DNA sequence: ACATACAGACTGACCAGTCGGTCTCTTGCT
DNA sequence: AGCAAGAGACCGACTGGTCAGTCTGTATGT
């Protein structure tokens, strides 16, 4: 295994520092110090502090879009797609919590060109969620009285907020949290008929008592 | 009606600027310019830029704790308390969206003393939500398989996230959004028995098609 | 000899906060 | 009523520190 490149070391150090203190409270000197390189090393690998922030955003949003595509491709019914999307999104926190934190906390500070590029991808991801919910309503699996955009944003909210409080060493594992969120969401959006479908019982915490 | 005080004008201008550009991207000079006063006027009314940020946090968290107390005092069953808390929280966005945005986006940048003071109140609010969910489980209204902390944080997430996307001029009114969120949450947490209780039908969108 | 990767002293812009000053009010005295 | 004197509100040029980004190197591989 090759040793970590300077670029990687910088990215990882920056990620942790941004997560803890916020983009503006972290100086390039601090990042340089923490990653064991120098001003020169930093600006050799990145055009600017902004570009570093952008690469962090970029790597995260690409990953998550990829996951959503997988969920779409691997399952056929809207209920299954939604369940899988929610579950895989939450599990993503295990590895990407710092990315998510920076993504939602600091995207405001991306310079315009970078911001537009990220926004496009973020919107694409949002649209995928909207599609699933829409499809679910059309096929009668999801309650027809729920409007697509609000329901979708509610789901996003529940999931995304996790970055604010989740601690790896906390009482609940990320998988447990994923199970609970998925249960809550499926319980909230499925029609009574779909909820009782045999194949869908696996969505619910069911008999497991926590 | 007395004209707005300089302090008020500063606070309002800062609120809008912080919401749009973020605390660090807004200079005191900009606030001063926007609120029609001067550096001197600013520092006459506030000890520091930090203190201004603190007063914004403080006014919001106090308001929201007060609302939660009202919901607790006015209703007797956990289901009613939860419904009311959720509903009033969401309606709060109508007036306080800028406060919420600053609160959740910039609290990291509060200086330690201010941060501690805000954190205490925020935790108190969190505990109130936890209590309602706990009580709901104990009284058998909420599903026993749902763990209190995760369920509570899921509810918070759904609601809080609204600040990221809600636009007053958007397709849905804040009241509609509140109705939908409350429906989703009640649908997700209530036991089947409680869900069928006659008095609780008002929680759901029911026959209304959107 | 040349390119790539990095080192670290330096610079210039920016910005929170200061400080001496002015301009109203209010209060108390005659 | 008239005036002096103090207080509170506000003004804006200035300062001192901070920090992103630059620039001149040096080392190592090809």
């Amino acid at each position: 295994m090759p040793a970590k490149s300077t670029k990687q070391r910088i990215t990882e150090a920056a990620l942790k520092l941004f997560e803890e203190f916020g983009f503006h409270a972290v100086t390039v000197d601090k990042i340089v110090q923490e990653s064991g390189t120098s001003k020169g090393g930093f600006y050799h690998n990145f055009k600017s502090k902004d570009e570093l922030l952008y690469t962090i955003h970029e790597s995260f949003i690409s990953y998550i879009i990829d996951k959503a595509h997988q969920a779409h491709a691997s399952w056929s019914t809207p209920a299954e797609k939604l369940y899988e999307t929610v579950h895989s999104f939450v599990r993503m926190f295990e590895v990407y919590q710092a990315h998510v934190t920076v993504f939602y906390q600091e995207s405001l500070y991306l310079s315009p060109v970078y911001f537009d590029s990220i926004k496009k991808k973020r919107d694409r991801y949002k649209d995928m969620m909207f599609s699933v919910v829409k499809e679910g309503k059309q096929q009668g699996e999801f309650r027809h009285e729920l409007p697509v955009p609000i329901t979708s944003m509610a789901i996003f909210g529940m999931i995304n907020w996790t970055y604010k409080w989740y601690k790896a060493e906390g009482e609940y594992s990320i998988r447990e949290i994923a199970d609970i969120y998925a249960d809550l969401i499926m319980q909230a959006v499925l029609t009574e008929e779909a909820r009782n479908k045999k194949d869908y019982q696996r969505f619910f915490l069911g008999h497991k008592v926590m």
Side-chain angles (χ1 to χ4, degrees), chain A:
Chain A
M1 192 172 74
K4 279 176 188 167
S5 69
T6 303
K7 191 160 188 170
Q8 260 176 336
R9 272 166 26 233
I10 291 171
T11 308
E12 284 170 22
L15 207 42
K16 277 183 192 157
L17 290 167
F18 290 165
E19 181 186 16
E20 185 170 357
F21 305 107
F23 183 71
H24 278 94
V26 174
T27 67
V28 172
D29 282 321
K30 185 75 190 165
I31 297 169
V32 154
Q33 185 189 321
E34 208 69 18
S35 54
T37 180
S38 64
K39 255 327 187 16
F42 183 93
Y43 283 95
H44 178 73
N45 286 285
F46 295 97
K47 284 215 318 263
S48 63
K49 196 186 172 192
D50 277 350
E51 198 201 42
L52 166 59
L53 183 60
Y54 170 72
T55 64
I56 292 174
H57 276 72
E58 171 56 32
S59 71
F60 166 69
I61 192 70
S62 294
Y63 173 88
I64 205 67
I65 286 181
D66 189 52
K67 282 285 169 187
H69 273 127
Q70 280 176 31
H72 268 253
S74 313
W75 301 89
S76 55
T77 72
E80 287 170 324
K81 285 179 188 172
L82 179 59
Y83 180 84
E84 210 54 36
T85 304
V86 168
H87 216 277
S88 78
F89 197 113
V90 176
R91 273 179 290 140
M92 171 272 299
F93 278 96
E94 192 86 67
V95 179
Y96 281 85
Q97 185 173 19
H99 286 78
V100 182
T101 304
V102 173
F103 189 87
Y104 286 122
Q105 202 68 37
E106 315 292 351
S107 63
L108 194 63
Y109 296 120
L110 285 168
S111 44
V113 184
Y114 292 139
F115 183 84
D116 288 347
S117 156
I118 294 296
K119 188 181 179 329
K120 270 197 198 110
K121 297 201 178 179
R122 204 188 54 195
D123 286 345
R124 208 156 77 217
Y125 184 65
K126 206 179 71 181
D127 288 341
M128 291 177 72
M129 175 68 82
F130 277 42
S131 305
V132 173
V133 175
K134 194 173 166 189
E135 210 186 308
K137 280 179 66 178
Q138 282 166 350
Q139 301 194 14
E141 290 196 327
F142 300 171
R143 293 158 56 209
H144 73 281
E145 65 267 30
L146 296 173
V148 172
I150 308 297
T151 306
S152 303
M153 295 316 288
I155 295 172
F156 271 129
M158 185 186 294
I159 298 172
N160 288 338
W161 199 253
T162 313
Y163 86 80
K164 289 266 189 189
W165 58 269
Y166 173 69
K167 297 273 181 288
E169 67 282 6
E171 192 182 346
Y172 294 91
S173 75
I174 204 69
R175 199 165 287 269
E176 286 170 316
I177 296 171
D179 285 338
I180 297 157
Y181 279 9
D183 171 302
L184 287 168
I185 290 165
M186 301 316 282
Q187 195 81 29
V189 305
L190 290 182
T191 59
E192 192 164 346
E193 194 193 334
R195 225 167 40 219
N196 291 326
K197 222 176 124 177
K198 198 133 194 201
D199 288 352
Y200 291 175
Q201 293 315 303
R202 68 184 181 91
F203 297 157
F204 307 114
L205 297 171
H207 55 282
K208 279 176 285 182
V209 178
M210 307 225 152

